[in-house]
Amino acid sequence: MATVVTLERPFNFEIGGYADHSTPLVKNCWYVAGTSSEISRDIISRRFLGVDVALYRTLDGRPAAVRNRCPHRSFPLAKGRLDGDILVCGYHGMQFDPSGRCAKMPSMPIVPTNANVRSFPIAERSPLVWIWMGDPDQADETLIPATPWLNSSEFKSVGGTFQLNSDYVSMHENLLDQTHFPFLHPGTVGTPEYARSKLDVRQEGDVIIIDRILKNSPPPGIYGVPTGLMGKPVDRLSEARFVSPGMHVAFAKIVDHEPEQGKPSTYRFNITHLITPETNGRIHYWWFNSRDSKLGDLEVDAFMVKASNQAYTEDVDALEWILQVVEKTQSHSLTSISRRTSRDS
Amino acid sequence: MATVVTLERPFNFEIGGYADHSTPLVKNCWYVAGTSSEISRDIISRRFLGVDVALYRTLDGRPAAVRNRCPHRSFPLAKGRLDGDILVCGYHGMQFDPSGRCAKMPSMPIVPTNANVRSFPIAERSPLVWIWMGDPDQADETLIPATPWLNSSEFKSVGGTFQLNSDYVSMHENLLDQTHFPFLHPGTVGTPEYARSKLDVRQEGDVIIIDRILKNSPPPGIYGVPTGLMGKPVDRLSEARFVSPGMHVAFAKIVDHEPEQGKPSTYRFNITHLITPETNGRIHYWWFNSRDSKLGDLEVDAFMVKASNQAYTEDVDALEWILQVVEKTQSHSLTSISRRTSRDS
Amino acid sequence: MATVVTLERPFNFEIGGYADHSTPLVKNCWYVAGTSSEISRDIISRRFLGVDVALYRTLDGRPAAVRNRCPHRSFPLAKGRLDGDILVCGYHGMQFDPSGRCAKMPSMPIVPTNANVRSFPIAERSPLVWIWMGDPDQADETLIPATPWLNSSEFKSVGGTFQLNSDYVSMHENLLDQTHFPFLHPGTVGTPEYARSKLDVRQEGDVIIIDRILKNSPPPGIYGVPTGLMGKPVDRLSEARFVSPGMHVAFAKIVDHEPEQGKPSTYRFNITHLITPETNGRIHYWWFNSRDSKLGDLEVDAFMVKASNQAYTEDVDALEWILQVVEKTQSHSLTSISRRTSRDS
């Protein structure tokens, strides 16, 4: 069921070395354009893979995406207005349908046939809206990663969003290498034992999966508080899945071998990370934390939001600092000369 | 009487394609440096065609313009002070007369003969001060565009100024193509009928003129309110004149074929647009709206300022958005790779 | 005793022309990294010659300096924490000793032998801490410029610090060419007579020294107020010493040939300027003003701080304006065309 992407050939062979902030963006991939509630009848603009896109909904509620640049005089179409399903440019009133076809040019008696704006494949999988910035012929909607837990009555999800000055490669590295938990997130997801937990890497198609097991160890706050198991030794199983350049999912399981009466022995937390590059140095980031216990407990909701935002803010800060360090080094094209030194006599 | 400029050969032939934000700046042309009231005994600095200029008045009131950079240690001369007609650098006290000739170097017994600062031809045609940034030998003051309505007792003028991140080509396009009026300025100068009004393009020397006639149609607010003709069908004649890269003038005429007793049948509005590029991406912009009716009516003055500023702010916003769109596209030197996608089995 | 530096060959011969803001930074030189009180157990980061450095003290109080970039994932080490003398990276907990050697990698059973961070020679000469950014093998501590007056009971010193957008060459020029005093600092260190005072240039090893003598002239406020000699003609002797790219010292002497009873006939003021380039366009700057009179007078302390900060703020403003002027000119890669003009007939 997982969506898989295949590079024509291993990436490193093409450009040499490891992936980093200068690694090319991957266009033929579904990325999250926004949450369902972010896209409405009020046109918004967002930048995806270097391209500004105007996002809105048609009268029947379907999301639509066209390039945020009128082909006439480059006016940003998101500053225009909707007339039914027609997007009207705010400068000279040129009109476009959701496919990007020009429907009318007010100052001309005929409709120009080649003054169209590029549209993008877009599809809703509530609570997410996905966009395809690559070759439209390859935009197969069955490749959209499935996230059934975000819509299931068995789970309760909370979420949030960031825009950060980082690159998608560093973001994925951060999500895959959980040995940073005890150091960057000591107050939420990290415990001292976690850095040394057993780890196993495997591949399912093109999905890279890292399994970690930490047995008989008290859980960190983000799992301990909602389960009521703070301080109690439990088993913690984590399955971190690199699904595509646009998505990472972590399935965490807390197993209590001696549950109190009436309490479950297993608690599941599915953490969904959605990563959409604006450019090589800036990314949209949405996160969801879905749990299968205390579904109706609003205090647990509030705790999960607070603890998650604390941990992800720590990640965001770290990733932004790192890009600053890397960019400073690159920009330091300083000329300098060496000089012999001697002592005054 | 109109001032005319001649390109040696048609511009597009030289660099290919249409003019746009990267079109070279035209140096051999009179540009407005400021209004008469902006230039005083307090030295100010402004950037024209990429060059910083220090502007001030001599004791007898004549405007003076020299490069805002001391030839000695590059100190900005506008940060210095005036000693009579002598501009004294604020760093080492070097002195320059209004022609840019060094008059004294305090720490030297003799005056250096070749440490001069460049001066620029400058001339006042109240309420405007014009500067010539090109070859001084070609700075013929008779080429300064005439604006008699700004000084005539037959007209009352109001005006304002903007500095905007745009280019002079987009600004002129905006002024020449009035089909944007109903869409960008529905509340002030645009009416639905105007986009389809009859239009005629002609040339007088090097001045490009676009005539538009819209007959028997209610005027927009900016003409309807000061004439008291809101809602009444009138004829609207507009003559938009591209005078030079530094100036555009629009002569509008409202004709009321059935005037009330004692009211005029014709109302004239001369709109003067003065455009001075700072760089290819930033321009100084001054506007004046001159009318031949209700000359002493301060309420009409206030309305004209308010409505004009509303319309020109809409223009400024649009032009800045467009340059952002264009520059974003140019900077998006994003590397990206395509990738085949396949479904997981 | 003075420290001297020798260029392998005269600088101008290598790159042509005079030194300016684009002159290469000199790496093999001791620069001030901070004052003794700025460097503590709280890690700070500063940029020296284009390289970010993390600065801290070990448990026994010695200053330490390592590159502010973890060799693992480029996290800024100054955002980590100290565990005794060990610097712990805030991302994955990698540990480094003050020499930059990796002491531990928490998620690995063995310590990697080649994952070290660069450290820099650093030495304290209270109240200054000096760093060497060049070839470590040449970091001879005996080359650190001596500043005994900053530690002597015969002097009382006050000081301050700036970070400014300028280059070290312009800063040194400003300090060497005191003819700007009457124009840029009329309220503090400049008097009208000073621009024309006799001047003598000499060389001691590689130290360039400019002697100025102004006889029988009232002192400026910065010397007149603390000596109580405002308005009284005195001799003013100044020895401006270009010690190295990182340091300039001015020894000023005020001689009162007719001292009041019980008053000294000579007053000394040693002014220490410490200049550390961050880049070619930004510098750290520390100043100290040391006097040999009224050592315990707190009002004189306060006056010296106020007057010095006023004068050095004037210098800082001037130097920043100059770099802006220079950079604007360089960036003004504006294309422009000439055009013939003709008059309309």
Side-chain angles (χ1 to χ4, degrees):
Chain A
M1 181 217 69
T3 303
V4 180
V5 288
T6 312
L7 289 171
E8 283 187 39
R9 70 185 81 179
F11 175 71
N12 291 339
F13 290 3
E14 292 189 49
I15 64 163
Y18 294 104
D20 66 9
H21 68 285
S22 66
T23 295
L25 302 176
V26 177
K27 295 178 81 170
N28 282 340
C29 177
W30 287 102
Y31 291 98
V32 166
T35 60
S36 293
S37 64
E38 287 173 339
I39 297 170
S40 72
R41 292 288 290 171
D42 293 324
I43 317 164
I44 61 170
S45 68
R46 283 197 174 147
R47 199 173 201 191
F48 304 128
L49 286 78
V51 179
D52 273 349
V53 176
L55 297 163
Y56 61 97
R57 285 187 190 274
T58 58
L59 285 174
D60 64 4
R62 283 177 301 119
V66 296
R67 192 172 174 205
N68 187 27
R69 177 177 185 163
C70 182
H72 174 221
R73 293 305 311 149
S74 301
F75 191 84
L77 291 171
K79 299 280 188 185
R81 63 180 175 80
L82 289 175
D83 183 1
D85 283 356
I86 296 294
L87 180 49
V88 182
C89 179
Y91 199 4
H92 301 89
M94 208 162 171
Q95 299 183 8
F96 304 94
D97 71 18
S99 77
R101 200 179 55 83
C102 181
K104 191 178 181 187
M105 183 66 175
S107 58
M108 289 177 69
I110 57 162
V111 177
T113 54
N114 59 355
N116 303 317
V117 64
R118 183 178 169 195
S119 65
F120 301 92
I122 190 164
E124 188 158 18
R125 299 290 181 272
S126 179
L128 302 173
V129 177
W130 296 82
I131 195 167
W132 179 274
M133 301 299 295
D135 175 4
D137 291 340
Q138 298 189 46
D140 180 354
E141 290 196 12
T142 63
L143 296 174
I144 295 174
T147 52
W149 56 87
L150 294 179
N151 258 335
S152 162
S153 60
E154 290 171 36
F155 284 88
K156 176 68 173 288
S157 299
V158 296
T161 185
F162 291 87
Q163 274 180 288
L164 59 153
N165 294 321
S166 182
D167 59 283
Y168 78 103
V169 171
S170 294
M171 188 69 176
H172 279 288
E173 271 186 349
N174 178 69
L175 295 167
L176 284 166
D177 186 355
Q178 299 182 358
T179 61
H180 75 274
F181 281 15
F183 303 98
L184 194 59
H185 314 300
T188 51
V189 297
T191 57
E193 299 77 15
Y194 198 65
R196 287 180 298 274
S197 63
K198 193 174 139 35
L199 130 85
D200 186 60
V201 181
R202 61 198 166 90
Q203 192 166 354
E204 280 182 14
D206 283 341
V207 176
I208 306 296
I209 304 166
I210 299 182
D211 291 304
R212 283 182 173 272
I213 300 179
L214 180 64
K215 297 208 168 189
N216 203 34
S217 183
I222 203 162
Y223 301 133
V225 170
T227 59
L229 297 172
M230 280 303 281
K232 185 175 187 182
V234 295
D235 291 352
R236 176 179 176 187
L237 294 78
S238 161
E239 187 181 308
R241 304 175 68 94
F242 172 86
V243 176
S244 83
M247 180 170 166
H248 175 106
V249 184
F251 298 130
K253 202 184 290 185
I254 301 293
V255 181
D256 179 4
H257 290 293
E258 297 173 352
E260 288 182 26
Q261 192 163 7
K263 294 280 182 68
S265 61
T266 300
Y267 299 85
R268 287 189 296 162
F269 296 88
N270 291 3
I271 302 129
T272 315
H273 303 275
L274 302 149
I275 299 137
T276 307
E278 281 193 55
T279 63
N280 279 83
R282 190 163 173 83
I283 51 184
H284 298 278
Y285 170 44
W286 294 265
W287 64 266
F288 292 89
N289 193 314
S290 310
R291 66 182 189 274
D292 72 347
S293 60
K294 298 191 183 173
L295 305 190
D297 189 330
L298 295 180
E299 280 186 32
V300 171
D301 283 5
F303 171 81
M304 297 305 282
V305 168
K306 185 162 175 273
S308 300
N309 270 330
Q310 181 185 329
Y312 302 143
T313 299
E314 288 160 351
D315 283 326
V316 165
D317 286 347
L319 292 168
E320 294 198 331
W321 292 334
I322 286 169
L323 190 61
Q324 285 168 20
V325 165
V326 170
E327 288 182 337
K328 259 191 185 172
T329 307
Q330 291 184 322
S331 73
H332 119 249
S333 64
L334 294 167
T335 47
S336 57
I337 56 172
S338 291
R339 146 185 114 140
R340 280 199 309 220
T341 54
S342 65
R343 267 190 96 186
D344 201 0
S345 57
Chain B
M1 185 217 64
T3 302
V4 179
V5 288
T6 313
L7 289 171
E8 284 186 36
R9 68 186 83 179
F11 175 72
N12 291 339
F13 290 5
E14 292 189 51
I15 64 163
Y18 293 105
D20 66 9
H21 68 286
S22 65
T23 295
L25 303 176
V26 177
K27 294 178 81 170
N28 282 341
C29 178
W30 287 102
Y31 291 99
V32 166
T35 60
S36 292
S37 64
E38 288 173 339
I39 296 170
S40 72
R41 290 287 291 169
D42 294 323
I43 316 165
I44 61 170
S45 69
R46 283 196 174 149
R47 198 175 199 190
F48 304 127
L49 286 78
V51 179
D52 273 350
V53 176
L55 298 161
Y56 60 98
R57 285 187 191 273
T58 57
L59 285 174
D60 65 3
R62 283 177 300 120
V66 296
R67 192 171 174 206
N68 187 28
R69 177 178 185 162
C70 182
H72 173 221
R73 295 303 313 149
S74 299
F75 191 84
L77 290 172
K79 299 283 189 183
R81 62 183 175 80
L82 290 174
D83 183 0
D85 283 357
I86 296 293
L87 179 49
V88 182
C89 178
Y91 200 4
H92 300 89
M94 209 164 171
Q95 301 183 7
F96 303 94
D97 70 18
S99 75
R101 198 178 56 83
C102 181
K104 191 178 179 185
M105 184 65 176
S107 58
M108 287 176 70
I110 58 163
V111 176
T113 54
N114 59 356
N116 303 318
V117 64
R118 183 178 170 196
S119 65
F120 300 92
I122 190 163
E124 188 158 20
R125 299 288 181 273
S126 179
L128 302 173
V129 177
W130 296 82
I131 194 167
W132 179 274
M133 301 299 293
D135 176 3
D137 290 340
Q138 298 188 47
D140 179 355
E141 290 195 11
T142 63
L143 297 174
I144 295 174
T147 53
W149 55 88
L150 294 179
N151 257 334
S152 162
S153 60
E154 289 172 35
F155 283 88
K156 176 68 174 285
S157 298
V158 297
T161 186
F162 291 87
Q163 274 181 286
L164 59 152
N165 294 321
S166 182
D167 58 282
Y168 77 103
V169 171
S170 294
M171 187 70 177
H172 279 288
E173 271 186 350
N174 178 69
L175 294 167
L176 284 166
D177 186 354
Q178 299 183 358
T179 61
H180 76 272
F181 281 14
F183 303 98
L184 193 59
H185 313 299
T188 51
V189 299
T191 58
E193 300 77 14
Y194 198 65
R196 287 181 296 277
S197 64
K198 193 175 140 32
L199 129 86
D200 186 59
V201 181
R202 62 198 165 90
Q203 191 165 353
E204 281 183 13
D206 283 341
V207 176
I208 306 297
I209 303 167
I210 300 182
D211 291 303
R212 283 183 174 273
I213 300 178
L214 181 63
K215 297 209 171 189
N216 203 33
S217 184
I222 204 163
Y223 301 132
V225 170
T227 58
L229 297 172
M230 280 303 282
K232 184 175 187 181
V234 295
D235 291 352
R236 176 180 176 186
L237 294 79
S238 161
E239 186 181 308
R241 304 175 68 95
F242 172 87
V243 176
S244 83
M247 181 169 165
H248 175 107
V249 184
F251 298 128
K253 203 185 287 183
I254 302 294
V255 181
D256 179 5
H257 291 292
E258 296 173 352
E260 289 182 26
Q261 191 162 7
K263 293 278 183 72
S265 61
T266 300
Y267 299 85
R268 287 189 295 163
F269 296 87
N270 291 3
I271 302 128
T272 316
H273 303 274
L274 301 149
I275 299 135
T276 307
E278 280 193 57
T279 63
N280 279 83
R282 189 162 174 84
I283 52 184
H284 297 278
Y285 170 44
W286 294 265
W287 64 266
F288 292 88
N289 193 314
S290 310
R291 67 183 188 274
D292 72 348
S293 61
K294 299 191 182 174
L295 304 191
D297 190 328
L298 296 180
E299 280 186 33
V300 172
D301 283 4
F303 171 81
M304 296 305 282
V305 168
K306 185 161 176 273
S308 300
N309 270 330
Q310 181 185 328
Y312 302 142
T313 299
E314 288 160 353
D315 284 326
V316 164
D317 286 347
L319 292 168
E320 293 198 331
W321 292 335
I322 286 169
L323 189 60
Q324 285 167 21
V325 166
V326 170
E327 288 182 338
K328 260 192 185 170
T329 307
Q330 290 184 323
S331 73
H332 121 248
S333 61
L334 293 167
T335 47
S336 57
I337 55 173
S338 290
R339 166 181 99 137
R340 279 198 309 221
T341 53
S342 66
R343 266 189 96 185
D344 201 0
S345 57
Chain C
M1 182 216 71
T3 303
V4 179
V5 288
T6 313
L7 289 171
E8 282 187 39
R9 69 186 82 179
F11 174 70
N12 291 339
F13 290 4
E14 293 189 49
I15 63 164
Y18 293 105
D20 67 8
H21 68 287
S22 65
T23 296
L25 303 177
V26 176
K27 295 178 81 170
N28 281 339
C29 178
W30 286 102
Y31 291 99
V32 166
T35 60
S36 292
S37 63
E38 288 173 341
I39 297 171
S40 71
R41 292 285 293 171
D42 293 324
I43 316 165
I44 61 170
S45 68
R46 284 194 173 149
R47 198 174 201 192
F48 304 128
L49 286 78
V51 179
D52 272 350
V53 175
L55 297 162
Y56 61 97
R57 285 187 192 272
T58 57
L59 285 174
D60 64 4
R62 282 177 302 119
V66 297
R67 193 173 174 203
N68 188 27
R69 178 176 184 163
C70 183
H72 174 220
R73 295 305 312 149
S74 300
F75 190 86
L77 290 173
K79 299 282 189 184
R81 63 181 175 80
L82 289 175
D83 184 358
D85 283 358
I86 296 294
L87 180 48
V88 182
C89 178
Y91 200 3
H92 300 89
M94 208 165 171
Q95 301 182 7
F96 303 95
D97 71 18
S99 76
R101 199 179 56 83
C102 181
K104 191 178 180 185
M105 184 65 175
S107 57
M108 288 177 69
I110 56 163
V111 177
T113 54
N114 59 354
N116 303 317
V117 64
R118 183 178 170 198
S119 64
F120 300 91
I122 190 164
E124 187 158 19
R125 298 288 181 274
S126 178
L128 301 173
V129 177
W130 296 82
I131 194 168
W132 180 273
M133 301 299 293
D135 176 3
D137 290 340
Q138 298 187 47
D140 180 353
E141 290 195 12
T142 62
L143 297 174
I144 296 174
T147 53
W149 56 86
L150 293 178
N151 257 335
S152 161
S153 60
E154 289 170 37
F155 283 89
K156 175 67 176 287
S157 297
V158 297
T161 184
F162 290 88
Q163 274 181 287
L164 58 153
N165 294 321
S166 182
D167 58 284
Y168 78 103
V169 172
S170 294
M171 188 67 176
H172 279 288
E173 270 186 350
N174 178 70
L175 294 168
L176 285 166
D177 186 355
Q178 299 183 357
T179 62
H180 74 272
F181 281 14
F183 303 98
L184 193 60
H185 313 300
T188 51
V189 298
T191 57
E193 299 78 14
Y194 198 65
R196 287 182 297 277
S197 64
K198 193 174 141 31
L199 131 85
D200 185 60
V201 181
R202 61 196 165 92
Q203 192 165 353
E204 282 184 12
D206 283 342
V207 176
I208 306 297
I209 303 166
I210 300 182
D211 291 303
R212 282 182 174 274
I213 300 179
L214 181 63
K215 297 208 168 190
N216 204 34
S217 184
I222 204 164
Y223 301 133
V225 169
T227 58
L229 297 172
M230 280 303 282
K232 184 175 187 182
V234 295
D235 290 352
R236 176 179 176 188
L237 294 77
S238 161
E239 186 181 307
R241 304 175 68 94
F242 173 86
V243 177
S244 83
M247 181 170 168
H248 175 107
V249 184
F251 298 128
K253 202 185 288 184
I254 301 294
V255 181
D256 179 5
H257 291 293
E258 298 173 351
E260 288 182 27
Q261 192 163 5
K263 293 280 182 67
S265 61
T266 301
Y267 300 84
R268 288 190 294 164
F269 296 88
N270 291 2
I271 302 129
T272 315
H273 303 275
L274 302 149
I275 299 137
T276 307
E278 280 192 55
T279 63
N280 279 83
R282 190 162 173 83
I283 51 184
H284 297 279
Y285 170 43
W286 294 265
W287 64 266
F288 292 88
N289 193 313
S290 310
R291 67 183 188 275
D292 71 348
S293 61
K294 297 190 182 174
L295 304 191
D297 189 331
L298 295 179
E299 280 186 33
V300 171
D301 283 4
F303 171 80
M304 296 306 282
V305 168
K306 184 160 176 275
S308 300
N309 270 329
Q310 181 184 328
Y312 302 141
T313 299
E314 288 160 352
D315 284 325
V316 164
D317 285 348
L319 292 168
E320 294 198 331
W321 292 335
I322 286 170
L323 189 61
Q324 285 168 20
V325 165
V326 170
E327 288 182 338
K328 259 191 183 172
T329 307
Q330 290 185 323
S331 73
H332 118 251
S333 62
L334 294 165
T335 46
S336 57
I337 55 172
S338 291
R339 161 181 102 143
R340 278 198 310 219
T341 54
S342 66
R343 266 189 94 184
D344 202 1
S345 57

